[in-house]
Amino acid sequence: MERLIFIVDSTLRDGSHAVSHQLNADQVRGYAQRAELANIPLVMVGHGNGLGASSLQLGRSKLPDREMLAIARQELKRSKLGAFLIPGFGTIKNDIGPAIDAGIDALMIACHCTEANITRQHLQYAASRGVATYGVLMMTHMATAGELLEQAKLMESYGVQGVLLMDSAGAYLQRDVAEKVGTLVSGLRTAVGFHPHNNLGLAVANSVAAVEAGASIIDGTARGFGAGAGNVQLEVAIAVLHRLGYQTGVDLYRLMDAAEYVAREVMKKPITIDAVTLTSGLAGVFSGFAPHAIRAAERFDVDVRDILMELGRRKAVGGQEDLILDVAMNLKQKKGQRPEDFQLESLS
Amino acid sequence: MSNQGTHNKIPVAIIGTGNIGSDLLVKVLRSPYLTCAMFTGQHPDSPGIARARELNIPTSADSIAAIERNPGCCDIVFDATTAEAHRRHAPILARLKKFAIDMTPSQAGGMCVPLLNLDDSIAKQNVNMVTCGGQANAPIARAIMAVHPDTQYMEVISSIASKSAGIGTRNNIDEYTQTTSDGIRALAGVPQVKTIIILNPADPPYLMHNTLYAEIKQPDLPALERSVKDTVEKIREYVPGFKLLYGPVQESGRVTTITEVVGRGDYLPTYAGNLDIINCAAVAVAERYAKKKLGLA
């Protein structure tokens, strides 16, 4: 029962969705110092959607990725510094090369859960430059356990040190975690990780379910800082894992301090499950869509929940924020004709 | 040129028998100015090769070596392999004096979007067709620059159906992203361009969907609408399935224009508009070259 669980802290990456990617230099430095004190094994830094994702589509970062990485690099000694990239968003030349030059120790390459072969170029490039690599499958509630294993095996063949399943929409139930993580653990030689979101209030329970199914990497954020209903609240998940007898090497008190710092100095409002984020989880929509959907709903005077449910039906994937506009316009047009058809009928 | 009632056709070779090459073959066979003299790849058992054989097209599994052995077979070579392979093929095709139309994002030759630089392009020996995202968005970007030449930043988001992205595209996803930005910057004259490429596996598959954002503080929307609509009509002359879905509209300091491409369903079904737009563009280049060579232009 004393298995070591490798903790990935995405507060300075995925967390920044919650402040529309507006983390400033003091916040990056302040959190990195505290993560170092807490002995976090791997601290992820950069735009919320990864390197090179600062854009009109996804939101511009306050600080360029390379500045965020440079600041964090100065503060992290025992803790490793990691970056994240989705192929098609950033490129090797513009983003991965400069991040490696800035001194990252690890790189996660992520893609929609059925598209693993678009990560090969980037994973192999990073490995050739001596960086530890991880593959990340996103929106994994949309694929079966068997499909995920097939995709994870491709990533394994590209030489990764681990494959993480993301519950990007916060849509998993514990039994989904057990089945999908368990399938990867028995089918892969490489480590398996899980990255939960909390739309259905299950992020901590799902982290435990993942570890009990054999996962050895848990990826979360301090205070659950993140898109929509937030990520798994790392200090809580770690406390529970310690109670269950797992080791993480993390100093829990210091991590609590880091989480208090986030609540005090970084968050604009508490991370909570509200009508929008709960609907988002039920619809199986990427958590980062929520703020864009809220804006579109106001602009077109439609119910944001209708937008989210329709995005779920259309099987939108991460990065397709421009579809929100299409959907909101269509709902607006249809609303003029038959408003009764759009009263959350799909929630039933 | 001898005229046997009608004009002759210019023989072309296609290297690469995947989605792009197989769709190109259909379009070449439909052309009044082109004929396919060689369809060559690496996999003797590929579905593309089997289909070409059924159509009685000469095939080979020796890739570019089939053209090196019989250089007289063609005047034009479409290279639908990968960026890496085309960088090896480019000097060979130059030595053989073939007009090379590069379908990969290698940028080995001069970048071409027919609406923007067709005549300049056929004077070159090697023409790069940028990417499907470049073909769909560069003309729209140019139409916006024509109205607001001081625009500093544009962004394109191209979503394509996973089924329409073959292994070549996937192996080149990084060059694809980079070359789309480079092509729009160079051909539309936009100082800074950001590209986002999304593969969506939804079934039934999505049509190719392009969103272009331009940062313009005080846009002249009526003029933009005229310019964009005029451009869309011109693209439709060689890509019939191209259409304006939405815009140009202004919201929060940016002008948004959304386009969609319905494919002709030549090799893959109609969702694969991304194949159509780059292949229609490439065939337009080949036909212009052929007409000139046939003395018809």
Side-chain angles (χ1 to χ4, degrees), chain B residues 60-98:
Chain B
S60 165
D62 293 335
S63 193
I64 196 170
I67 299 167
E68 289 180 275
R69 273 201 306 273
N70 182 14
C73 76
C74 62
D75 290 332
I76 301 173
V77 176
F78 291 99
D79 189 342
T81 57
T82 64
E84 196 187 5
H86 184 71
R87 285 186 209 108
R88 288 196 307 274
H89 296 165
I92 300 171
L93 296 172
R95 178 165 52 74
L96 297 176
K97 298 190 168 54
K98 299 301 167 195

Side-chain angles (χ1 to χ4, degrees), chain A residues 52-58 60 87-95 112 114-118 120-122 299-300 314-323 325-326 329, chain B residues 153 155 157 159 162 167 170-175 177-178 182 185 194-203 206 209-211 213-215 245-246 249-251 254 256 258:
Chain A
S54 179
S55 57
L56 296 171
Q57 169 86 341
L58 304 163
R60 282 194 171 136
F89 288 41
T91 63
I92 291 173
K93 180 177 149 196
N94 291 349
D95 304 294
H112 184 70
T114 53
E115 313 297 317
N117 55 6
I118 67 169
R120 185 186 59 81
Q121 276 186 300
H122 308 76
R299 191 167 150 224
F300 291 94
R314 290 199 194 183
K315 297 195 163 54
V317 305
Q320 287 191 297
E321 276 77 347
D322 52 323
L323 262 192
L325 202 62
D326 275 19
M329 271 180 346
Chain B
Y153 179 84
E155 191 172 302
I157 299 93
S159 306
S162 294
I167 192 68
R170 290 160 180 275
N171 284 337
N172 282 172
I173 188 82
D174 197 61
E175 290 90 342
T177 311
Q178 193 77 46
D182 291 349
R185 197 180 303 124
K194 166 91 193 149
T195 298
I196 295 176
I197 305 293
I198 314 270
L199 298 182
N200 186 308
D203 201 18
Y206 273 78
H209 184 276
N210 306 289
T211 298
Y213 300 119
E215 270 194 315
L245 210 60
Y246 178 66
V249 294
Q250 181 190 14
E251 33 134 15
R254 67 190 190 190
T256 304
I258 302 181

